[in-house]
Amino acid sequence: MARIAYVNGRYRPIDEAAVGVEERGFQFSDGVYEVVKFVKGAFSDLDRHMARLGRSLDGLRIAWPMTEKALRLVLAETVRRNGLRDALVYIQVSRGVAPRNHLFPKGAPSSLVVTVRRPKAPGADEIENGVAVCSQPDIRWGRCDIKSVSLLANVLARQAAQEQGAREAWLVDEHEGVVTEGSSSNAYIVDREGRLRTHPLGEAILGGVTRSVILEMARADGITVDERAFTLEEAKQAREAFLTSTSSFVTPVTRIDDHSIGNGHPGSVTRRLIELYNNHLVAC
Ligand code: PDD
């Protein structure tokens, strides 16, 4: 069955779906996005994704393309038309189509595109053995809390990681000397004292929906959470490391650059969080 995309009011086979050449998302990266998981017939953490979409739109002063309620109906209908019970739903909202000019256009409605694809949960090998990450300089702009479609620095970092045989890039803020996050995921360690550490919220990272769920579950489970940035050196010396995102769930990290983490296998805190997150997905 051909994949169906929603574009500005119409559901079309993906090969025929198109936006105008003067779409500002295309010309200026003037837009934001969300990636939402649909698991066994239901959206997971949709309220948190909608709240973040609202913050991203506010941050760039882009209008909602329709009411939030209508958007939720479009998401459900796009998934239904694709006939999937498990899906990753991509939502992109841009400042619309207008003759190219840096200034905000007057009266151009926001554009909305929704596409759907099959999710790919971490494989058994990744869960059992973990993945490798490699450090890359964080050269992104100063508002990484906005989920902007302007992802060039993330693309370059991720490509460099892949070329070095790593699954993800861990971005290092070279002024602060700390790991901010991954190119498309949040980064965590369990430090020598057994504390779960991750970069605090703020403009330097994207506040992941998975991050918020994981930190809540960790605290409720008695794990000490310390939202404090860590250096690359601390990461290499950590007992455990892992990453999270909507599309990669909780994925253990067992290698950072040339260093093996802990005993080279996913540790007990990581394994516990994988279990808790899987339970959360079944429950929501
Ligand atoms: N990426 N940090 C960055 C830079 C991200 O792009 C993402 C998500 C995350 C994790 O956020 P969440 O847990 O809400 O998915 C952190 C999405 C999945 C993507 O670009 O495909």
Short mmCIF file of all heavy atoms in Angstrom, two decimals, residues 33 35 49 52 140 147 154 181-186 206 208-211 244-247, ligand 1:
data_model
loop_
_atom_site.label_atom_id
_atom_site.label_comp_id
_atom_site.label_asym_id
_atom_site.label_seq_id
_atom_site.Cartn_x
_atom_site.Cartn_y
_atom_site.Cartn_z
N TYR A 33 9.08 20.93 14.02
CA TYR A 33 8.54 19.59 13.78
C TYR A 33 8.38 18.82 15.08
O TYR A 33 8.89 19.25 16.13
CB TYR A 33 9.44 18.82 12.81
CG TYR A 33 10.74 18.30 13.39
CD1 TYR A 33 10.92 16.95 13.69
CD2 TYR A 33 11.80 19.17 13.66
CE1 TYR A 33 12.11 16.48 14.22
CE2 TYR A 33 12.99 18.70 14.19
CZ TYR A 33 13.14 17.35 14.47
OH TYR A 33 14.31 16.90 15.00
N VAL A 35 8.07 14.41 16.27
CA VAL A 35 8.00 12.99 15.90
C VAL A 35 7.29 12.30 17.06
O VAL A 35 7.76 12.38 18.20
CB VAL A 35 9.39 12.38 15.69
CG1 VAL A 35 9.28 10.90 15.35
CG2 VAL A 35 10.14 13.13 14.58
N HIS A 49 3.92 15.91 23.50
CA HIS A 49 4.38 16.34 22.17
C HIS A 49 3.64 17.61 21.73
O HIS A 49 4.24 18.52 21.15
CB HIS A 49 4.18 15.23 21.14
CG HIS A 49 5.19 14.13 21.24
ND1 HIS A 49 6.48 14.26 20.78
CD2 HIS A 49 5.12 12.90 21.77
CE1 HIS A 49 7.15 13.14 21.01
NE2 HIS A 49 6.35 12.29 21.61
N ARG A 52 4.99 20.59 23.56
CA ARG A 52 6.29 21.03 23.04
C ARG A 52 6.12 21.71 21.68
O ARG A 52 6.80 22.71 21.38
CB ARG A 52 7.27 19.86 22.94
CG ARG A 52 8.66 20.33 22.51
CD ARG A 52 9.69 19.22 22.57
NE ARG A 52 9.36 18.15 21.65
CZ ARG A 52 9.99 16.98 21.61
NH1 ARG A 52 10.98 16.73 22.46
NH2 ARG A 52 9.63 16.06 20.74
N ARG A 140 25.77 23.87 16.86
CA ARG A 140 24.40 24.30 16.55
C ARG A 140 24.12 25.73 17.03
O ARG A 140 24.90 26.31 17.77
CB ARG A 140 23.40 23.32 17.19
CG ARG A 140 23.57 21.91 16.66
CD ARG A 140 22.69 20.96 17.41
NE ARG A 140 22.99 20.95 18.83
CZ ARG A 140 22.16 20.48 19.76
NH1 ARG A 140 21.01 19.98 19.40
NH2 ARG A 140 22.51 20.51 21.03
N LYS A 147 12.29 22.85 18.62
CA LYS A 147 12.46 21.72 17.72
C LYS A 147 12.34 22.21 16.28
O LYS A 147 11.33 21.98 15.59
CB LYS A 147 11.45 20.61 18.06
CG LYS A 147 11.88 19.23 17.57
CD LYS A 147 11.11 18.14 18.28
CE LYS A 147 11.30 16.77 17.68
NZ LYS A 147 12.67 16.30 17.57
N ASN A 154 23.17 18.97 12.99
CA ASN A 154 22.86 17.63 13.48
C ASN A 154 23.13 16.59 12.39
O ASN A 154 23.66 15.50 12.66
CB ASN A 154 21.37 17.54 13.88
CG ASN A 154 20.96 18.64 14.83
OD1 ASN A 154 21.11 19.82 14.53
ND2 ASN A 154 20.46 18.28 15.99
N GLU A 181 23.93 16.81 24.17
CA GLU A 181 22.98 15.74 23.82
C GLU A 181 23.49 15.08 22.55
O GLU A 181 24.59 15.37 22.08
CB GLU A 181 21.58 16.30 23.64
CG GLU A 181 21.48 17.34 22.53
CD GLU A 181 20.08 17.93 22.35
OE1 GLU A 181 19.09 17.25 22.65
OE2 GLU A 181 20.01 19.08 21.88
N GLY A 182 22.67 14.18 21.99
CA GLY A 182 23.03 13.54 20.73
C GLY A 182 22.49 14.35 19.56
O GLY A 182 21.77 15.34 19.74
N SER A 183 22.81 13.91 18.33
CA SER A 183 22.34 14.63 17.15
C SER A 183 20.82 14.54 17.01
O SER A 183 20.19 15.43 16.47
CB SER A 183 23.01 14.10 15.88
OG SER A 183 22.50 12.83 15.55
N SER A 184 20.24 13.45 17.51
CA SER A 184 18.77 13.36 17.51
C SER A 184 18.28 12.55 18.72
O SER A 184 17.32 11.79 18.62
CB SER A 184 18.26 12.74 16.20
OG SER A 184 18.69 11.43 16.07
N SER A 185 18.95 12.74 19.85
CA SER A 185 18.56 12.01 21.06
C SER A 185 19.18 12.71 22.27
O SER A 185 20.09 13.52 22.11
CB SER A 185 19.06 10.56 20.99
OG SER A 185 20.46 10.53 20.80
N ASN A 186 18.67 12.43 23.46
CA ASN A 186 19.27 12.94 24.69
C ASN A 186 20.30 11.95 25.21
O ASN A 186 20.20 10.75 24.95
CB ASN A 186 18.19 13.24 25.74
CG ASN A 186 17.34 14.44 25.36
OD1 ASN A 186 16.15 14.31 25.09
ND2 ASN A 186 17.95 15.61 25.30
N LEU A 206 17.43 19.99 23.41
CA LEU A 206 16.00 19.79 23.20
C LEU A 206 15.47 19.01 24.41
O LEU A 206 16.03 17.95 24.76
CB LEU A 206 15.74 18.98 21.93
CG LEU A 206 14.24 18.79 21.70
CD1 LEU A 206 13.61 20.07 21.17
CD2 LEU A 206 13.97 17.65 20.76
N GLY A 208 13.64 16.47 25.55
CA GLY A 208 13.01 15.30 24.93
C GLY A 208 11.77 14.87 25.70
O GLY A 208 11.74 14.93 26.93
N VAL A 209 10.76 14.44 24.95
CA VAL A 209 9.58 13.87 25.61
C VAL A 209 9.99 12.58 26.32
O VAL A 209 9.60 12.33 27.46
CB VAL A 209 8.46 13.63 24.56
CG1 VAL A 209 7.37 12.74 25.12
CG2 VAL A 209 7.88 14.98 24.12
N THR A 210 10.80 11.78 25.66
CA THR A 210 11.27 10.53 26.28
C THR A 210 12.09 10.86 27.53
O THR A 210 11.97 10.19 28.55
CB THR A 210 12.13 9.73 25.27
OG1 THR A 210 11.55 9.86 23.98
CG2 THR A 210 12.19 8.26 25.67
N ARG A 211 12.89 11.93 27.43
CA ARG A 211 13.68 12.36 28.60
C ARG A 211 12.77 12.65 29.78
O ARG A 211 13.03 12.21 30.91
CB ARG A 211 14.49 13.62 28.22
CG ARG A 211 15.33 14.23 29.35
CD ARG A 211 15.92 15.56 28.88
NE ARG A 211 16.80 16.17 29.87
CZ ARG A 211 16.38 16.85 30.94
NH1 ARG A 211 15.07 16.99 31.16
NH2 ARG A 211 17.25 17.36 31.78
N THR A 244 18.21 8.41 24.69
CA THR A 244 16.77 8.22 24.52
C THR A 244 16.24 9.13 23.41
O THR A 244 16.74 10.23 23.20
CB THR A 244 15.95 8.58 25.79
OG1 THR A 244 16.00 9.99 26.03
CG2 THR A 244 16.44 7.84 27.02
N SER A 245 15.22 8.65 22.72
CA SER A 245 14.42 9.49 21.82
C SER A 245 13.16 8.72 21.47
O SER A 245 13.08 7.50 21.71
CB SER A 245 15.18 9.84 20.54
OG SER A 245 15.20 8.75 19.66
N THR A 246 12.22 9.42 20.89
CA THR A 246 10.97 8.79 20.47
C THR A 246 11.24 7.60 19.56
O THR A 246 10.61 6.56 19.68
CB THR A 246 10.09 9.83 19.74
OG1 THR A 246 9.83 10.90 20.66
CG2 THR A 246 8.80 9.23 19.25
N SER A 247 12.21 7.76 18.63
CA SER A 247 12.43 6.68 17.67
C SER A 247 13.43 5.65 18.15
O SER A 247 13.40 4.52 17.69
CB SER A 247 12.87 7.26 16.32
OG SER A 247 13.93 8.16 16.52
N1 PDD B 1 14.66 13.58 17.59
N2 PDD B 1 17.52 15.85 21.09
C1 PDD B 1 17.43 16.09 19.76
C2 PDD B 1 18.42 17.02 19.13
C3 PDD B 1 16.43 15.46 19.01
O1 PDD B 1 16.32 15.70 17.69
C4 PDD B 1 15.53 14.56 19.65
C5 PDD B 1 14.42 13.89 18.91
C6 PDD B 1 15.67 14.34 21.03
C7 PDD B 1 14.77 13.42 21.79
O2 PDD B 1 13.46 13.95 21.87
P1 PDD B 1 12.20 12.99 22.03
O3 PDD B 1 12.46 12.10 23.18
O4 PDD B 1 11.09 13.94 22.27
O5 PDD B 1 12.06 12.23 20.75
C8 PDD B 1 16.67 15.02 21.72
C9 PDD B 1 13.58 13.09 16.77
C10 PDD B 1 13.03 11.79 17.18
C11 PDD B 1 14.05 13.13 15.33
O6 PDD B 1 14.70 14.11 14.97
O7 PDD B 1 13.73 12.22 14.57
#
